[in-house]
Amino acid sequence: MQLKYDLIVIGSGPAGTNAAITMSKHGKKVLIIENRNYIGGGCLHTGTIPSKTMREAALVLGSSHKEAFGHVEELKNESTHQIAYTSLIVKLRNVITTEIDVLRQQLSRNQVDVVIGNAEFINSTCLKVIDANGDTSKYQTEFVLIATGSSPNRPKEVPFDDHVICDSDSILEMGANLPKSMIIVGAGVIGSEYACIFSRLGVKVHLINKYKEVLNFIDKDVRSMLMEQMKRNGIMLHTEMDIESISITKEKKARVVLSSGIELEAGKLLYTQGRNGNTKKLNLAAAGINIEKYDLIKVNEFFQTSVPNIFACGDVIGYPSLASVSGEQGRFAANHMAGKNVNAMSDLFPYGIYTIPEISFVGKTEEQLIAANIPYVTGTAHYKEVSRGLIKGENRGLLKMHIHQENLTLLGVHIIGYGASELVHIGQAVMAFNGGLDYFLDHVFNYPTWAEAYKVAALSASNNLLELQKKA
Ligand SMILES: Cc1cc2nc3c(=O)[nH]c(=O)nc-3n(C[C@H](O)[C@H](O)[C@H](O)COP(=O)(O)OP(=O)(O)OC[C@H]3O[C@@H](n4cnc5c(N)ncnc54)[C@H](O)[C@@H]3O)c2cc1C
């Protein structure tokens, strides 16, 4: 007997679970198919949650507040370090187990069925699931949402053994064996975040980047502050470097030869260049869907594929590949399937990068404003100008805001430093309501707070604007 659903969701990450719960709230019968043993997707098991749990623990272990108080003990010897790292792994498992429980309860409260096994299309309205025992079941459906996420790129010339040479999934399987040194290939978001985390944990990190600077899509001042901070934290940056070869030595070390001729050796190598959509196991041809570059799926503004009853959301459609955005895409797509009137999805989303220090931004960068010929003025606030920063001992940070020179609306906010990923939402809200300079100048902010940085930056933007007007 074939079970029939209104919606079958493939993948139980943020895109899939948000879509499933939304659709079920519209009174529809929903099934999620997940090919890992546990629900939660890459987000919970190999992506956002493990990396951010490790970061939080690394901040505590690496005593980020020592400058403020001067007496917090640093990890002095290797054995203390290994014990601390072992507790980090235990903490990580606890976080994941609790998150799985919360998610399971949410799905069950909303009567969403879950089946564990690999989903593949038989045709556009029928799917086959093969479970771990090789047993097959078939399901009929009106709609399908493909929310299968993405996986690390593993080029053939890199000899991955998932022990010495790892990707961002297998690096999490090293258990309590923290290496003394690590080579990280790729200074994108994942590579830069892990470089900061492992370096804070006392690992000697070499970060190799093809380009002159790390994270070349972020604000230039934020980027140079990050690079400066990375160097202060002991990360060895090898920029504008191509890789000649990657190998494993007889002594089981990772070895990299760079285009400059420099040879590096380390206990582990983490390769983080690129990700591909998880589409290979879906038999998409049977549904009439083409696979695009990097194994991604093409969708329209409603997240609908070329086959009208089949939708795709999250990492499997590419940019921006964030858990935050994937969840919203899932909700949006489900509302659209259910025939609800939904506004076009806002493209005003914040970007959070959990390096140490963290970075967050919303809206346009200076490069984008210049390219679009938009007249703007910038205001800045350094954390050392903000009392809360001095009290907390976190005085290395920057908040930059761009204001439209004529209508004074807020065009973008770029932050590096403590609390950046929370602070950015003030800017996001002001932008969403078309607010601008006046809001920051005319309202009282709690004192002392990090949010005061907005006030300081607004006063700076206002002064810069006056200067421009004087010159005009
Ligand atoms: C190291 C790292 C750190 C990150 N940090 C952040 C962060 O701080 N903030 C942020 O917003 N984002 C972060 N991300 C990105 C975030 O994890 C992803 O954007 C998010 O997980 C995408 O959600 P998704 O629902 O599209 O897919 P996923 O969460 O990947 O879930 C997809 C699920 O579908 C399953 N699946 C695949 N194929 C099939 C099939 N054929 N049948 C059944 N099931 C299938 C997969 O096994 C997986 O469990 C990070 C990613 C990584 C790798």
Side-chain angles (χ1 to χ4, degrees):
M1 189 191 66
Q2 281 182 26
L3 287 174
K4 193 159 177 357
Y5 285 89
D6 296 310
L7 168 66
I8 292 183
V9 174
I10 314 175
S12 67
T17 48
N18 278 288
I21 291 171
T22 305
M23 196 64 163
S24 145
K25 288 198 188 296
H26 291 310
K28 306 288 182 184
K29 199 165 181 285
V30 184
L31 169 70
I32 292 182
I33 305 170
E34 170 56 57
N35 68 4
R36 291 177 199 247
N37 287 337
Y38 302 100
I39 54 173
C43 176
L44 183 52
H45 298 281
T46 50
T48 315
I49 299 297
S51 61
K52 261 75 270 179
T53 309
M54 279 178 77
R55 180 184 186 272
E56 208 54 43
L59 283 177
V60 176
L61 298 181
S63 61
S64 69
H65 303 316
K66 70 176 185 297
E67 280 178 24
F69 303 105
H71 59 76
V72 179
E73 74 288 358
E74 275 198 87
L75 295 157
K76 293 226 167 46
N77 64 53
E78 228 177 89
S79 61
T80 325
H81 216 155
Q82 288 298 349
I83 291 163
Y85 190 70
T86 310
S87 24
L88 189 160
I89 300 290
V90 173
K91 158 108 179 130
L92 179 57
R93 288 196 188 120
N94 287 344
V95 171
I96 293 177
T97 314
T98 311
E99 288 261 7
I100 292 174
D101 275 351
V102 171
L103 193 55
R104 197 178 282 138
Q105 282 165 29
Q106 280 173 344
L107 293 175
S108 125
R109 248 195 335 268
N110 286 285
Q111 283 119 40
V112 173
D113 291 344
V114 178
V115 164
I116 297 293
N118 188 70
E120 64 175 71
F121 284 92
I122 293 175
N123 58 47
S124 62
T125 56
C126 185
L127 286 143
K128 172 165 95 176
V129 180
I130 306 168
D131 70 18
N133 302 323
D135 294 334
T136 301
S137 42
K138 284 187 189 164
Y139 300 90
Q140 280 290 331
T141 183
E142 184 182 356
F143 292 107
V144 181
L145 176 75
I146 305 170
T148 47
S150 62
S151 297
N153 178 33
R154 289 170 67 108
K156 281 193 205 77
E157 62 277 13
V158 180
F160 290 99
D161 66 345
D162 296 322
H163 180 65
V164 177
I165 300 195
C166 300
D167 61 25
S168 62
D169 286 358
S170 55
I171 196 76
L172 298 167
E173 284 155 27
M174 71 179 163
N177 302 318
L178 199 56
K180 285 195 178 120
S181 56
M182 184 182 285
I183 299 167
I184 299 185
V185 179
V189 176
I190 295 174
S192 298
E193 286 186 355
Y194 272 129
C196 294
I197 292 170
F198 284 113
S199 147
R200 184 54 72 101
L201 285 167
V203 177
K204 184 174 162 47
V205 173
H206 292 271
L207 180 59
I208 303 173
N209 198 26
K210 207 174 163 47
Y211 307 102
K212 194 171 173 204
E213 294 180 292
V214 304
L215 300 169
N216 51 14
F217 62 101
I218 66 171
D219 176 87
K220 60 180 185 344
D221 294 329
V222 168
R223 190 168 54 223
S224 39
M225 274 187 88
L226 173 68
M227 287 172 68
E228 191 193 306
Q229 196 59 40
M230 280 176 155
K231 286 179 196 155
R232 281 177 66 99
N233 290 345
I235 297 171
M236 308 283 291
L237 271 171
H238 304 268
T239 53
E240 288 184 285
M241 285 297 164
D242 282 322
I243 287 180
E244 295 291 320
S245 68
I246 298 178
S247 56
I248 301 176
T249 65
K250 275 192 207 126
E251 297 76 32
K252 295 282 172 212
K253 295 215 165 197
R255 187 160 186 271
V256 172
V257 181
L258 298 175
S259 47
S260 61
I262 291 176
E263 296 180 11
L264 301 171
E265 267 191 20
K268 274 196 197 296
L269 182 143
L270 168 59
Y271 188 91
T272 66
Q273 284 193 156
R275 295 183 69 82
N276 299 311
N278 293 330
T279 46
K280 291 247 166 74
K281 294 182 183 164
L282 288 167
N283 192 21
L284 284 174
I289 296 173
N290 291 329
I291 299 178
E292 308 289 322
K293 201 174 170 194
Y294 304 119
D295 297 340
L296 299 176
I297 298 176
K298 202 166 156 189
V299 290
N300 66 15
E301 72 270 35
F302 304 113
F303 303 100
Q304 206 163 17
T305 67
S306 54
V307 178
N309 73 309
I310 303 179
F311 290 65
C313 287
D315 279 17
V316 78
I317 62 168
Y319 178 83
S321 294
L322 288 170
S324 50
V325 177
S326 302
E328 285 309 309
Q329 291 175 342
R331 250 193 291 272
F332 182 96
N335 280 327
H336 185 75
M337 284 176 219
K340 301 289 154 195
N341 274 336
V342 278
N343 294 325
M345 208 183 123
S346 168
D347 59 1
L348 191 66
F349 57 82
Y351 214 110
I353 303 173
Y354 297 85
T355 40
I356 301 173
E358 72 188 48
I359 291 170
S360 198
F361 60 90
V362 64
K364 302 260 185 280
T365 60
E366 279 184 76
E367 287 86 347
Q368 288 168 333
L369 291 170
I370 293 166
N373 234 344
I374 298 172
Y376 70 96
V377 64
T378 299
T380 52
H382 288 272
Y383 274 27
K384 60 176 179 269
E385 301 171 272
V386 179
S387 307
R388 189 65 181 259
L390 294 175
I391 294 167
K392 182 93 174 157
E394 296 279 355
N395 54 13
R396 274 191 288 268
L398 172 74
L399 184 149
K400 256 176 101 169
M401 63 166 68
H402 303 310
I403 300 287
H404 197 292
Q405 269 186 32
E406 285 147 18
N407 62 26
L408 303 187
T409 53
L410 181 62
L411 300 167
V413 176
H414 304 266
I415 315 172
I416 178 166
Y418 188 88
S421 61
E422 301 286 350
L423 270 182
V424 77
H425 296 113
I426 298 176
Q428 183 193 19
V430 171
M431 286 176 79
F433 290 105
N434 276 323
L437 191 60
D438 292 350
Y439 168 77
F440 298 110
L441 294 180
D442 298 345
H443 290 85
V444 173
F445 281 59
N446 274 332
Y447 177 82
T449 57
W450 299 105
E452 195 208 340
Y454 277 97
K455 184 72 141 184
V456 175
L459 289 165
S460 143
S462 171
N463 291 337
N464 293 338
L465 195 61
L466 279 176
E467 290 299 319
L468 279 176
Q469 284 161 353
K470 272 191 226 157
K471 280 187 201 155

